[in-house]
Amino acid sequence: MSTNTVASDKVVLFHYTLTNDAGDVIDTSDGHDPMPYLHGHGNIVPGLERQLTGLAVGAKLSADVPPGEGYGEKSDRPPQPVPRDQFPPDVDPQPGMQFVVQGPEGEHMPVWIENTDEQHVFITFDHPLAGETLHFAVEITAVRDATEEELAHGHPHGPTGNEGHHH
Ligand code: ZN
């Protein structure tokens, strides 16, 4: 397989625009550098990763990703109230903010703020895009081998692999 083809353990750089069913732009790399990700390591939603596999540099893709291969279905659990004083004093909780909490087994679980009132912050385990079909317009701009360090970390370290980064 060509070294310029999207495959596991390759770092892929791509431009993307993500829209929802209504045609609203949710996110885009337009006006920014292409986004790098490490293929086969769950850096991007499964449905997009699957459809990018095997594409070459310069390829353009329109990909529709259903919730099951995107950010999941919406659960029917209502948002759970958390007392405001459980948040650090320097944090001003706002709808849409993401936090990571520890689950019962010590696992890390992402949560999002749904809304707030005087005393509470209401959190949900649903990703803000849960239940949405995602529409991606993608152009692949570069594909390269990952470095040992990138493979060990499971994510890319910038466009060339030599950029410093913060953990
Ligand atoms: Zn790293």
Side-chain angles (χ1 to χ4, degrees):
M1 190 173 272
S2 156
T3 55
N4 290 329
T5 302
V6 176
S8 283
D9 298 344
K10 298 283 191 184
V11 172
V12 180
L13 280 77
F14 69 106
H15 275 299
Y16 69 95
T17 296
L18 168 61
T19 51
N20 62 13
D21 276 334
D24 302 323
V25 174
I26 306 293
D27 195 11
T28 180
S29 63
D30 203 18
H32 302 276
D33 290 332
M35 190 184 87
Y37 79 95
L38 180 58
H39 194 83
H41 291 255
N43 293 179
I44 61 175
V45 295
L48 181 60
E49 188 165 63
R50 183 174 60 73
Q51 294 185 57
L52 289 171
T53 303
L55 295 183
V57 172
K60 293 182 178 181
L61 174 72
S62 290
D64 296 329
V65 176
E69 285 190 303
Y71 291 108
E73 304 287 353
K74 260 198 185 321
S75 69
D76 47 18
R77 273 195 296 181
Q80 299 178 21
V82 176
R84 271 184 181 267
D85 61 13
Q86 290 194 13
F87 285 79
D90 58 330
V91 171
D92 179 24
Q94 298 289 336
M97 279 182 169
Q98 186 190 351
F99 292 87
V100 174
V101 298
Q102 287 224 325
E105 320 272 305
E107 72 275 30
H108 293 271
M109 305 170 69
V111 299
W112 288 267
I113 296 177
E114 180 94 8
N115 51 42
T116 62
D117 68 14
E118 292 280 306
Q119 274 95 37
H120 304 97
V121 175
F122 295 86
I123 62 167
T124 173
F125 290 92
D126 289 347
H127 188 282
L129 292 173
E132 297 264 10
T133 297
L134 311 172
H135 305 278
F136 289 96
V138 171
E139 180 176 4
I140 297 172
T141 63
V143 177
R144 64 169 171 80
D145 292 326
T147 65
E148 291 293 325
E149 191 183 48
E150 287 173 323
L151 290 175
H153 288 191
H155 56 228
H157 293 163
T160 67
N162 294 321
E163 277 77 3
H165 73 102
H166 315 282
H167 282 303

